[in-house]
Structure formats: structure tokens, C-alpha cells
Amino acid sequence: MPRNTHAIIDLDALAYNFKAMSALAPTSKQVIVIKANAYGNGAVAVALALQHKAQMFAVAFLDEVYELRDAGITQPILVLQGPHQEQECEQTDLLNVVWMLSAQHQLNWLQSWLHRSFSQESKKRTRHWLKFDTGMHRLGLMPEDYSLLKQQHPELFSHDVVIATHLSAADEPGKNSIEVQLKRFEAMIGKDQNPLSIANSAANIHLLPARQSWNRMGISLFGSSPFENDSVKPDLKPVMQLMSTVIALRVIAKGESVGYGDTWVAEKETVLATVGIGYGDGYPRHAPIGTPAIIEQHTAHLVGRVSMDMLIFDVTGFKDVKIGSKVELWGCNLPINTVAKHVGTIGYELMTRVSQRVPRVYLRG
Ligand SMILES: *Cc1c(COP(=O)(O)O)cnc(C)c1O
């Protein structure tokens, strides 16, 4: 019997989420963010599933573009970090990418490519966005340099260039920095009529002024709420279900310990189920004792340390648990954010870290 550990990816749920998120901002266009292998869900499969609805995809850096082009995806792809090397600019037309430029050296690279390029196509079509740092302080040109940059690079500031920024706390409604960043952005743009892009998933859900010409949506499409607390509950369906099975069962006596380092000791006679997934599959090694999973409709709790290929759950009293019983590590019956809270991380990280060793099984219809 082969190991039955896999991630079910529900493409109907993906389409549902895209529709729900787009409906929130009917006058905006949507960039579908599929960096990091579509947050672990499979960039090619996700892009193919949404290609007829998509106006633009986004990835973090150029290397993430190739597999999408090889798979026949034709929409423009926004490269969120811009070029890492000047030579990457040569690929602009060939790969139909749109660069998010966020630093002076990138402006220089693209401008010199435009001057060198003989392609009339590239001169006609705008091949970049401009990103400004309104307070996240990670990437972006500085708002106070806006006017000077515009004078220095008039051809990079044409009226159709999208001007973008990224909010540092869109997932914490009411936080002061949201207002501060929006005000800085607005003041910087002044009377300019360029299309704008501010919102990620969280901002698109709760922040009306952030919904502009283009919204950039990632996590919400995969059905995980971007909000850590439940004050905002978006209507989303989980896309990824991480599944495994029980591969061994035993009863241990009171006083026996479990797993590496003997970190958990049975206070009474205990039934243990060993499950065929571990940190080699991307399940977090620091998941603490008590982290839940669903086994045969029961909520079972993790005992002992996470190993590379296995987890151990206390299934005492769950009479129907047997070898081969299905185990849901997260998904429809156990929200990924619940697991994330136990582990001290966010749904984004859990999803993204599911490793290559776990086959993705795509569901549709
Ligand atoms: C990843 C990313 C997004 C998408 O964010 P979500 O919270 O997943 O919706 C948007 N904009 C930028 C610049 C990003 O890096």
C-alpha cells in the first residue's frame, strides 16, 4: 500500500473565492498573486484554473514566471520584486512580464533597456508599475522623491503607469498605520490621474479607500482569512486540505513517554495513532503538544514531538480509529488558521511550506 498523504486542492473553492473577492470591488481589476507556487497550492494548476477569469497574475521574481509560460499561461505576469539583475530586463517582451519597480537602480535598468530595445512593441506598451514605500519600509521608492524621479524619468511616469504601495497592517483593521500610509500615498499622487494599486486580500475585504484600479489578491483566493482575529469573517471556502492516514496503533501504559526526547508522558493508559506525515512534508516541527487534527470525525491532539515522517496523536476512546483511517491536518473541518494559532504562525506559512514530497490532488466539479 503506497503512503496515502496528499494535499487536496479544491479548484471549485478557488473559483468561488475569486468570484467573492472580485465582487467586493466590482470596479477594480484583480491581480491574482501566485508567488511561492501559489502559496503551496501549485502555481500552474491555479493559473490554469483561473486563466479565463484572470487579467494579470503576479509572482515574486522572474524565475517563477518560466513554468507558467511553459504551461501556456498567456496573461501578463507582474513581477513584484522587479528585476534582480539588469539582464533580466531583456526578457520583458519575450515573457510578457510587467515589472514592479521599487528602487532607483531598477528604474535605470529598465530605462536603459527601453533605449536599447528595437522592439516597437515594448515602446508602445507600458511594461512596469512603480511602487512607493509609504511606511512598510521593505521595498519601494520614497514618496518624497516622487517629483524628482518624475523629472528624471519622464518616460517611466507616463499617465498609464500604475502607481502602487503596500500596507503594513491591512490585516489589523483600525490600526493607525493604515490611515498614515493611505494619507501619504494620496498626498504623493496629488492631482495625477494614474491608475493606482494598494489593496492585498485583507485591504480588499475591509478597506474601501484601498480598492483602486488594481487589487492584488493572494491568500483569500486560497480560502484562508488574512485576519488573525475573527472580528472580520470573509466568506471564503478552504482550498487546501492536508490529508494523511493512520499507519500504526498501540496502547501504552501510564508513565510511558512518546516520541523523540520523551517530551510527553502518558498520565493514564493511552491509545496512540501514528500518522504518516511529518516535518519532511512541511508539517511544522514546532507544533506543540495539543495541536489538533481530525481523525474519523474526532478532534485528536498531538502528543510528543513532530518527526520527519510521522506524527503521533492521542486517540484514546475513539473506537472507530483504525489502520488506514483518514486524518485531516487542516482543511474543511479544521481551519488552517486554527492550526496556525496552535503553532504560533499564520495560515500563509503553513500552506506555503507543504513540501514537494506531498502530491497535490486537484478536485473540480
Ligand atoms: C504577496 C503580496 C500580495 C498578496 O497578499 P495577500 O495577503 O496574500 O492577499 C499583494 N501585494 C504584494 C506586494 C505582495 O507581496
Side-chain angles (χ1 to χ4, degrees), residues 33 35 39 80 100 131 138 166 199-202 216-220 226 348:
V33 181
K35 62 194 178 192
Y39 299 33
L80 293 166
M100 179 89 101
K131 181 179 191 176
R138 186 177 64 174
H166 194 54
N200 58 2
S201 295
R216 310 180 303 267
M217 299 190 305
I219 194 74
S220 55
Y348 292 76

Side-chain angles (χ1 to χ4, degrees), residues 145-279:
D145 298 336
Y146 183 79
S147 302
L148 183 64
L149 287 167
K150 215 171 147 177
Q151 282 169 29
Q152 288 171 340
H153 301 273
E155 62 278 71
L156 294 181
F157 278 76
S158 53
H159 66 282
D160 59 338
V161 168
V162 178
I163 312 283
T165 192
H166 194 54
L167 302 175
S168 56
D171 55 341
E172 295 176 64
K175 207 154 192 191
N176 189 41
S177 70
I178 297 175
E179 275 315 300
V180 171
Q181 284 189 255
L182 289 175
K183 285 217 176 80
R184 280 182 190 159
F185 195 61
E186 203 180 311
M188 180 190 88
I189 301 293
K191 292 194 165 51
D192 290 355
Q193 296 289 314
N194 293 64
L196 306 177
S197 177
I198 304 175
N200 58 2
S201 295
N204 189 42
I205 291 166
H206 78 96
L207 203 60
L208 193 67
R211 294 177 195 150
Q212 296 286 341
S213 304
W214 289 94
N215 300 322
R216 310 180 303 267
M217 299 190 305
I219 194 74
S220 55
L221 303 181
F222 308 116
S224 166
S225 168
F227 304 102
E228 275 196 66
N229 74 38
D230 291 334
S231 61
V232 188
K233 280 209 177 105
D235 169 30
L236 300 169
K237 293 186 175 173
V239 168
M240 179 191 283
Q241 253 187 303
L242 185 63
M243 302 297 298
S244 186
T245 58
V246 173
I247 62 169
L249 282 166
R250 72 205 61 242
V251 181
I252 59 164
K254 175 181 173 182
E256 290 294 309
S257 63
V258 173
Y260 284 121
D262 311 326
T263 57
W264 189 83
V265 177
E267 285 173 3
K268 55 181 174 42
E269 190 178 82
T270 301
V271 185
L272 300 174
T274 304
V275 172
I277 189 167
Y279 66 79

Side-chain angles (χ1 to χ4, degrees), residues 49-223:
L50 293 177
Q51 64 177 333
H52 301 298
K53 306 181 167 96
Q55 282 156 309
M56 194 184 283
F57 291 105
V59 296
F61 47 90
L62 190 68
D63 304 66
E64 293 186 317
V65 170
Y66 294 104
E67 64 166 352
L68 297 166
R69 293 297 178 233
D70 289 345
I73 300 299
T74 56
Q75 280 78 8
I77 299 176
L78 179 67
V79 178
L80 293 166
Q81 293 181 353
H84 281 234
Q85 310 281 342
E86 181 164 14
Q87 302 90 286
E88 290 182 344
C89 295
E90 309 294 335
Q91 308 287 313
T92 307
D93 283 341
L94 197 66
L95 291 172
N96 189 16
V97 294
V98 176
W99 300 106
M100 179 89 101
L101 303 181
S102 61
Q104 177 81 59
H105 65 274
Q106 293 180 325
L107 301 190
N108 297 341
W109 291 348
L110 195 76
Q111 184 161 4
S112 87
W113 171 72
L114 279 169
H115 288 165
R116 266 181 291 119
S117 170
F118 294 107
S119 151
Q120 287 309 304
E121 190 69 358
S122 50
K123 292 202 164 60
K124 272 201 310 255
R125 270 199 276 172
T126 301
R127 293 307 208 175
H128 69 284
W129 291 18
L130 294 171
K131 181 179 191 176
F132 284 85
D133 175 9
T134 52
M136 174 94 167
H137 301 326
R138 186 177 64 174
L139 289 181
L141 299 153
M142 297 315 284
E144 53 268 35
D145 298 336
Y146 183 79
S147 302
L148 183 64
L149 287 167
K150 215 171 147 177
Q151 282 169 29
Q152 288 171 340
H153 301 273
E155 62 278 71
L156 294 181
F157 278 76
S158 53
H159 66 282
D160 59 338
V161 168
V162 178
I163 312 283
T165 192
H166 194 54
L167 302 175
S168 56
D171 55 341
E172 295 176 64
K175 207 154 192 191
N176 189 41
S177 70
I178 297 175
E179 275 315 300
V180 171
Q181 284 189 255
L182 289 175
K183 285 217 176 80
R184 280 182 190 159
F185 195 61
E186 203 180 311
M188 180 190 88
I189 301 293
K191 292 194 165 51
D192 290 355
Q193 296 289 314
N194 293 64
L196 306 177
S197 177
I198 304 175
N200 58 2
S201 295
N204 189 42
I205 291 166
H206 78 96
L207 203 60
L208 193 67
R211 294 177 195 150
Q212 296 286 341
S213 304
W214 289 94
N215 300 322
R216 310 180 303 267
M217 299 190 305
I219 194 74
S220 55
L221 303 181
F222 308 116

